[in-house]
Amino acid sequence: MTQTLTTKVLIIGAGTGGYVAGIRCGQLGLDTVLVDGGDGLGGTCLNVGCIPSKAIIHAATKFETVAKAADGGTLGITASKPAIDLKATVAWKDGIVRKLNTGVAGLLKKAKVRVINGWATFSDAKTCTVKTADGDITISAEHVILATGSEPVELPFLPFGGDVISSTEALSLDKVPGKLVVVGGGYIGLELGIAFRKLGAEVAIVEMADRLLPLYDKALTDPVRKWLETHGVELHLGAKAGSFEKGQLNVVAADGTAFKLKADKVLVTVGRRPRTQGWGLENMGVAMAGPFVKIDDRCATSMKNVWAVGDLTGEPMLAHKGSAQGEIVAEIIAGHDKRFDPVSIAAVCFTEPEIVSAGLGPLDVEGRDDVITAVFPLMALGRALAIEAGGDGGFVRVLASKTDHRLLGVQAVGQHVSELSNSFAQMLEMGAVLEDVAGTIHVHPTMGEAFHEASLRALGHAIHI
């Protein structure tokens, strides 16, 4: 028997966009139902993406540190040769995910959001039927927030299954593969490839572009490439992957030469696509922008009172973007005058070393003569040297307008620089000028001093270089 339910707000998807929208709707007193049929509360980010990958990366870095101590010592510290029980590491990672799942569930309950576990299918823009373990529920809503997220792109000649895996399976392996081939040199492939190299796997990367992380400028990616080469990671750039047969991946090199790479696992990370299939989007009458749902600066679709947030709406596909959009949509539904118009959405690659980019970079201002660019190397920073973060070619770089010194962009590469990303974004969002950063007393000794020094250098009077 089908139940019927009417609500003020119906949210589809419990990822970082959907659950944040739900909590904010509840805080604002809006009757809200959240339907989740995907990865679970927290979506891709919490369950099979951001959080578990950073946990595995952290464990891999710890393992590498002990391995260094066993191989001649480091910082005067010696240790016995380490071993990794990846099954136990994954269990620890799963415990973190469960704890965060429980936390999200508690927050939604506190906000009086009704959560329904099941797959929704829309018959029109405001009505869907949810198949649950206890039967079907038909839900009608005044407002609908679409937050279905994204999924890994599958290559037709390398379908997922068996030893061909996506990032989801890579984060739940029970042992470190002897040989791992990563297809795709973007941030997901590099983050996981580097982690498994630290854990002892032999790693090769196959990338169609002529360099890694092609969306970033060469100065930012060179330290990452240097790490890969120093640590014996094979790089096949300008190369095309083919089928995987009998433990070997077929590859065509940049010069057209065909060769094979042995692999215990092939990790395919060639991007993500919006999750638009299987839930009746075609019945909702919303306009599309290519593969994405088209929205305006209020996250409104072309259908009245139907909203969309997160990966479904286009690049950048970042969890913090979805959360910000979800919060804004809830406030708009509650009658507040809001717009989604960020100055910058900072992005981080948790590679070795890490990369941060906020605002405009050199590729965006190429050919312009009205921009000041200044770089401060981490090797000149006391804190960086004290925590072994100064020897990898890392730096902080600022771009600012010559006329009024307003910050246009900030980038960094180096160990631990991900923690600087919020400072970069905050200064850009506030419309800061170089003098604002220079005039802020930065704590010593910290990594953030590099931002201060880069700004001083842009003004022509850096102290420590």
Side-chain angles (χ1 to χ4, degrees):
M1 183 176 177
T2 302
Q3 301 179 53
T4 59
L5 184 64
T6 302
T7 185
K8 174 79 171 181
V9 182
L10 168 62
I11 303 170
I12 306 298
T16 49
Y19 89 73
V20 168
I23 291 170
R24 189 67 183 117
C25 283
Q27 291 174 341
L28 293 164
L30 303 173
D31 182 32
T32 304
V33 173
L34 174 62
V35 176
D36 177 48
D39 299 305
L41 297 179
T44 294
C45 177
L46 194 157
N47 293 279
V48 294
C50 316
I51 301 302
S53 67
K54 303 313 166 284
I56 296 297
I57 289 167
H58 173 70
T61 300
K62 290 282 190 182
F63 181 85
E64 183 192 35
T65 299
V66 180
K68 283 181 180 178
D71 186 20
T74 178
L75 308 179
I77 302 168
T78 57
S80 300
K81 185 177 179 180
I84 180 75
D85 180 353
L86 192 59
K87 191 178 292 186
T89 304
V90 167
W92 164 75
K93 175 266 294 181
D94 290 342
I96 294 170
V97 171
R98 282 194 300 273
K99 183 176 181 179
L100 292 171
N101 280 144
T102 302
V104 172
L107 293 169
L108 288 164
K109 184 177 180 180
K110 181 181 178 182
K112 297 182 172 58
V113 176
R114 178 173 176 178
V115 178
I116 297 175
N117 294 312
W119 192 258
T121 304
F122 281 85
S123 55
D124 60 45
K126 306 290 175 57
T127 309
C128 73
T129 299
V130 183
K131 291 189 177 300
T132 75
D134 300 319
D136 293 353
I137 304 174
T138 297
I139 307 174
S140 297
E142 183 181 337
H143 292 266
V144 172
I145 303 175
L146 301 175
T148 55
S150 62
E151 59 195 3
V153 172
E154 186 177 39
L155 295 172
F157 50 86
L158 274 177
F160 295 130
D163 291 327
V164 178
I165 60 176
S166 72
S167 57
T168 299
E169 292 78 36
L171 293 168
S172 294
L173 293 175
D174 58 4
K175 64 179 181 179
V176 178
K179 294 180 182 292
L180 175 69
V181 176
V182 180
V183 178
Y187 75 95
I188 297 174
L190 288 181
E191 286 181 3
L192 294 177
I194 288 169
F196 279 105
R197 181 69 191 111
K198 289 180 177 182
L199 292 171
E202 293 182 25
V203 177
I205 296 171
V206 179
E207 166 59 43
M208 284 185 66
D210 59 3
R211 65 183 187 85
L212 301 170
L213 298 168
L215 295 179
Y216 295 95
D217 64 271
K218 189 172 179 293
L220 284 177
T221 60
D222 273 350
V224 177
R225 178 165 180 163
K226 180 181 177 182
W227 188 96
L228 294 169
E229 292 173 344
T230 301
H231 290 79
V233 175
E234 286 184 46
L235 298 179
H236 301 281
L237 304 178
K240 295 180 181 179
S243 59
F244 180 62
E245 300 165 339
K246 299 179 180 179
Q248 294 185 315
L249 179 70
N250 291 298
V251 183
V252 177
D255 63 4
T257 304
F259 63 98
K260 297 178 185 291
L261 288 172
K262 290 183 179 180
D264 296 306
K265 299 289 180 184
V266 176
L267 171 58
V268 180
T269 57
V270 294
R272 297 183 66 84
R273 63 187 174 203
R275 190 175 281 132
T276 57
Q277 302 297 313
W279 49 271
L281 176 63
E282 64 277 5
N283 299 324
M284 300 186 73
V286 299
M288 304 294 289
F292 302 104
V293 171
K294 186 178 182 179
I295 58 170
D296 62 14
D297 63 356
R298 299 166 69 243
C299 299
T301 72
S302 59
M303 182 64 68
K304 184 179 180 183
N305 291 347
V306 175
W307 317 81
V309 302
D311 290 359
L312 189 63
T313 66
E315 298 288 355
M317 290 188 181
L318 298 171
H320 40 291
K321 182 197 80 171
S323 296
Q325 289 177 320
E327 188 174 354
I328 284 170
V329 169
E331 292 173 355
I332 290 172
I333 293 172
H336 300 190
D337 184 13
K338 291 282 185 173
R339 294 288 186 277
F340 182 69
D341 186 25
V343 173
S344 169
I345 303 175
V348 177
C349 295
F350 290 88
T351 45
E352 186 67 62
E354 296 172 345
I355 296 174
V356 177
S357 182
L360 301 181
L363 300 177
D364 302 307
V365 299
E366 207 166 17
R368 289 175 55 175
D369 59 3
D370 61 338
V371 176
I372 305 169
T373 301
V375 173
F376 186 81
L378 296 184
M379 65 181 296
L381 194 68
R383 174 64 172 168
L385 295 176
I387 60 173
E388 297 184 284
D392 54 16
F395 60 84
V396 172
R397 178 178 61 206
V398 297
L399 287 79
S401 167
K402 277 185 182 179
T403 54
D404 60 6
H405 291 178
R406 190 165 304 279
L407 282 176
L408 301 175
V410 193
Q411 293 84 43
V413 57
Q415 293 181 56
H416 312 295
V417 295
S418 59
E419 300 303 329
L420 303 181
S421 58
N422 294 313
S423 178
F424 297 169
Q426 181 183 41
M427 285 295 188
L428 287 166
E429 194 67 40
M430 293 176 65
V433 294
L434 291 169
E435 287 82 359
D436 292 322
V437 185
T440 300
I441 299 175
H442 286 66
V443 175
H444 175 77
T446 63
M447 296 292 285
E449 289 178 279
F451 186 19
H452 182 240
E453 289 279 3
S455 299
L456 288 173
R457 194 174 192 187
L459 291 168
H461 52 87
I463 301 298
H464 291 99
I465 190 171

